[in-house]
Amino acid sequence: MIAVDWGTSRVRAWRLAEDGRVRERRALDAGVMAVSRDEFAPILESMVGAWCAEGDGPLFLCGMVGGRQGWLEVPYVSCPASLDDIAAGIREITWARGRAFIVPGLRCQDREGVPDLLRGEESQALGAMALLPPGGATLCLPGTHSKHVLLEGDCVERFETYMTGECFALLMEHSILGRLANGRDIDEAAFEAGVGRASRGGVLPHQLFGARTRALVGELAPESVAGYLSGLLIGHEVSQLPAEPAVYVAAEPALRDAYLKALDLSGRKARPLDADVAAMGLQRLARSLGTRAAA
Amino acid sequence: MIAVDWGTSRVRAWRLAEDGRVRERRALDAGVMAVSRDEFAPILESMVGAWCAEGDGPLFLCGMVGGRQGWLEVPYVSCPASLDDIAAGIREITWARGRAFIVPGLRCQDREGVPDLLRGEESQALGAMALLPPGGATLCLPGTHSKHVLLEGDCVERFETYMTGECFALLMEHSILGRLANGRDIDEAAFEAGVGRASRGGVLPHQLFGARTRALVGELAPESVAGYLSGLLIGHEVSQLPAEPAVYVAAEPALRDAYLKALDLSGRKARPLDADVAAMGLQRLARSLGTRAAA
């Protein structure tokens, strides 16, 4: 089968063997935000058309590709949601290469009844579930809109979104803080200083201004502004995660390692998970769908 | 004399009588961010040249006009700072209409030693001081970079900056939340809902995402997104102010009233202050400078 995680800013595709092993992988900066409805099929053709031609398939897709701006809108499934609940929400679409199955996102409510939504991370959660000992676990899935996902038994119990990645981009590209910065490389010492400040408490809209004042008085080099801001934002996010048991983190290596470091600095246990965990989740969904997908 | 508060996004000028009464006022959207060094004099000429021609003067200026991107950089004065300390930091510049005096900003450090800076609000604080009973008070000065200023006796003891106004502008103009919004008018019920959510605790980067999810599921009309975001941001800021005694708020009427409402909704006592309080502070500084300014 072929697994595709089509997010807001990036699309990733995996060609999987029968046993779930990743045979090939591809990625493209062609997220849903930059793609119009009639471009999904041509982009898929360029990424996985050759795999299909060699007999691989069907296609399982997750992420914003199933959202309102996506290829086919697939309604959200409510939490708590098991593998079978999510599989039951899958919708089918046909294209030049045959059948494609689009996985639904999840919806939950926080303590005050405010809704939260995700698309794509349900497949990461299902993949992670297969790797972890049974019981419960907390996943941290960093990104433009980071998710903290609570697993209980074989269900996604609930989750919470943090606009960490988007806030960093906004501040660097458009704010008075970004104007003081020289480059986007993450200076490690500045990142640690930012995490430290966040983990000692205080409010973000005040602490962010500290990047400006420290730069103006010469305490923070222009090359270190990006690292300090990243540390402040990620530090605030991870402060909401439990200290124990270990939090599992899945993301591309650079981002994953930044989160592991921030969790460690703020006194939390953390373990890395495979970045291909979404592909594993999609494979589990394909199996759960069973004969319908195989037909 | 003529008082000028030249901020990041706006310049305001007051023509004052001997007794401090405001005879005339003018304002222009020509903040320091949009003005190059050789434009300060021509803009001043257009705003206050006629007053000077009729014999008024000298000019006292505060705000970012004294910053690194301003007309003349004036070093910060350290807190705690009295009226006389601030007056001693004033620098003089000459222009076609004679002498102009530029007031220094203030610098302080928070509990962790991170510096904080302001320019312009020192004059608002000195003006407020003259209106309030002696002793101590907390001022809330909303804006692009809101300030909470603690007065003790006749000193500005310390202060804290919140990027509330800038964060609102960033989110509305450049974020995924702004794309869901229809207009910038502040819907009152949505503003109150945002303040309420902020005042019950929780973290901002998660709560901001709620504006998106509530809009996506149809709980929040596109016309109400701006009000909800404003309520969340202002609600988080005012949650850092003491519940008692009353906080004094000085700003243009619409912004001042939004803060008064947010303070009230979150169980805090608040009182409005005159929006021209910066002019009063500049007049107090002029008097303190005494013969030097009159010469």
Side-chain angles (χ1 to χ4, degrees):
Chain A
M1 66 169 275
I2 296 167
V4 178
D5 185 354
W6 206 319
T8 304
S9 53
R10 202 163 162 78
V11 51
R12 299 192 296 158
W14 298 268
R15 185 184 196 181
L16 300 178
E18 271 295 311
D19 62 1
R21 203 171 28 85
V22 175
R23 295 173 58 201
E24 285 186 77
R25 52 170 71 75
R26 289 202 179 143
L28 210 62
D29 285 332
V32 170
M33 291 298 295
V35 167
S36 62
R37 191 147 298 182
D38 53 7
E39 292 176 305
F40 286 101
I43 292 171
L44 270 183
E45 175 62 32
S46 77
M47 288 185 82
V48 308
W51 300 345
C52 295
E54 290 172 26
D56 277 14
L59 242 68
F60 277 79
L61 300 100
C62 69
M64 299 306 287
V65 68
R68 204 168 291 172
Q69 314 301 323
W71 199 15
L72 172 74
E73 187 172 0
V74 181
Y76 292 99
V77 170
S78 291
C79 282
S82 68
L83 179 72
D84 289 342
D85 294 334
I86 298 171
I90 289 174
R91 295 284 177 273
E92 192 179 331
I93 194 170
T94 52
W95 66 304
R97 294 286 186 183
R99 306 168 79 189
F101 297 89
I102 303 185
V103 170
L106 298 181
R107 175 179 171 162
C108 74
Q109 293 199 315
D110 72 12
R111 283 165 301 173
E112 296 192 39
V114 175
D116 207 337
L117 302 169
L118 61 72
R119 283 194 187 273
E121 293 86 355
E122 75 295 323
S123 301
Q124 292 182 269
L126 294 174
M129 216 180 258
L131 292 176
L132 303 178
T138 303
L139 304 180
C140 175
L141 305 171
T144 306
H145 299 150
S146 292
K147 308 287 177 183
H148 297 178
V149 182
L150 184 65
L151 304 180
E152 290 274 3
D154 68 343
C155 281
V156 176
E157 186 66 20
R158 63 173 184 274
F159 57 87
E160 222 168 53
T161 303
Y162 294 81
M163 291 184 63
T164 306
E166 182 167 0
C167 285
F168 179 73
L170 286 175
L171 291 167
M172 290 298 293
E173 281 164 34
H174 301 292
S175 82
I176 201 168
L177 308 180
R179 251 172 268 143
L180 289 165
N182 181 5
R184 294 219 179 186
D185 289 345
I186 302 300
D187 172 273
E188 205 150 322
F191 178 80
E192 289 176 18
V195 172
R197 176 132 162 95
S199 71
R200 287 186 292 275
V203 287
L204 191 57
H206 166 59
Q207 293 181 342
L208 290 173
F209 197 68
R212 174 172 163 81
T213 51
R214 291 190 68 210
L216 282 176
V217 305
E219 277 183 18
L220 191 68
E223 295 72 26
S224 303
V225 169
Y228 188 68
L229 284 178
S230 174
L232 279 175
L233 287 163
I234 294 177
H236 269 276
E237 185 194 323
V238 302
S239 76
Q240 301 303 302
L241 286 163
E244 294 203 54
V247 171
Y248 294 88
V249 183
E252 299 292 331
L255 192 58
R256 181 194 64 202
D257 292 347
Y259 271 74
L260 290 174
K261 167 156 267 176
L263 281 157
D264 182 52
L265 286 169
S266 57
R268 285 164 172 80
K269 289 210 180 78
R271 302 228 174 97
L273 272 177
D274 194 318
D276 292 338
V277 81
M280 296 181 59
L282 286 167
Q283 206 197 30
R284 291 188 69 204
L285 284 165
R287 283 191 188 137
S288 169
L289 210 60
T291 48
R292 185 180 144 197
Chain B
M1 65 168 276
I2 297 168
V4 178
D5 185 354
W6 207 319
T8 304
S9 53
R10 203 164 161 77
V11 51
R12 299 190 298 157
W14 298 267
R15 185 183 196 183
L16 300 178
E18 270 295 312
D19 61 2
R21 204 171 28 85
V22 176
R23 294 171 61 200
E24 285 186 78
R25 53 170 70 75
R26 289 203 178 140
L28 211 61
D29 286 331
V32 169
M33 290 297 296
V35 167
S36 62
R37 192 148 294 181
D38 53 7
E39 291 175 305
F40 287 101
I43 292 171
L44 271 183
E45 174 63 31
S46 76
M47 288 185 82
V48 308
W51 300 345
C52 295
E54 289 173 26
D56 278 14
L59 241 68
F60 277 79
L61 301 100
C62 69
M64 298 306 288
V65 68
R68 204 168 293 172
Q69 314 301 323
W71 199 14
L72 172 74
E73 187 172 1
V74 182
Y76 292 99
V77 170
S78 291
C79 283
S82 68
L83 179 71
D84 290 341
D85 294 333
I86 298 170
I90 287 173
R91 294 286 176 273
E92 193 179 332
I93 193 170
T94 52
W95 67 304
R97 294 287 185 181
R99 306 169 78 188
F101 297 89
I102 303 185
V103 171
L106 298 182
R107 174 179 173 163
C108 74
Q109 292 199 317
D110 71 13
R111 283 164 302 173
E112 295 191 40
V114 175
D116 207 337
L117 302 170
L118 59 71
R119 284 193 186 274
E121 293 86 356
E122 75 295 322
S123 300
Q124 291 181 268
L126 295 174
M129 215 180 260
L131 292 175
L132 302 178
T138 303
L139 304 180
C140 175
L141 306 172
T144 306
H145 299 151
S146 291
K147 309 286 178 183
H148 298 178
V149 183
L150 185 64
L151 303 180
E152 291 273 4
D154 68 343
C155 282
V156 176
E157 185 67 21
R158 62 171 185 273
F159 57 88
E160 221 169 53
T161 303
Y162 294 81
M163 291 184 64
T164 305
E166 182 166 0
C167 286
F168 179 73
L170 286 175
L171 291 167
M172 289 297 293
E173 282 165 35
H174 301 292
S175 82
I176 201 167
L177 309 179
R179 251 173 267 143
L180 289 164
N182 182 5
R184 294 219 179 187
D185 289 345
I186 302 300
D187 173 272
E188 205 150 322
F191 178 81
E192 288 175 20
V195 173
R197 177 132 161 95
S199 70
R200 288 187 292 275
V203 286
L204 192 56
H206 166 58
Q207 293 182 343
L208 291 172
F209 197 69
R212 173 171 163 81
T213 52
R214 291 190 69 212
L216 282 176
V217 306
E219 277 183 20
L220 191 68
E223 295 73 27
S224 302
V225 169
Y228 188 68
L229 283 178
S230 174
L232 279 175
L233 287 163
I234 294 177
H236 269 276
E237 184 194 323
V238 303
S239 76
Q240 301 302 303
L241 286 163
E244 294 204 53
V247 171
Y248 294 88
V249 183
E252 299 293 330
L255 192 58
R256 180 194 64 202
D257 292 348
Y259 271 74
L260 291 173
K261 167 156 266 176
L263 281 157
D264 183 51
L265 286 170
S266 57
R268 286 163 172 81
K269 289 209 181 79
R271 302 224 175 99
L273 272 177
D274 194 318
D276 293 338
V277 82
M280 295 181 59
L282 286 168
Q283 206 198 30
R284 291 189 68 203
L285 284 165
R287 283 194 187 134
S288 170
L289 211 59
T291 50
R292 184 179 145 199

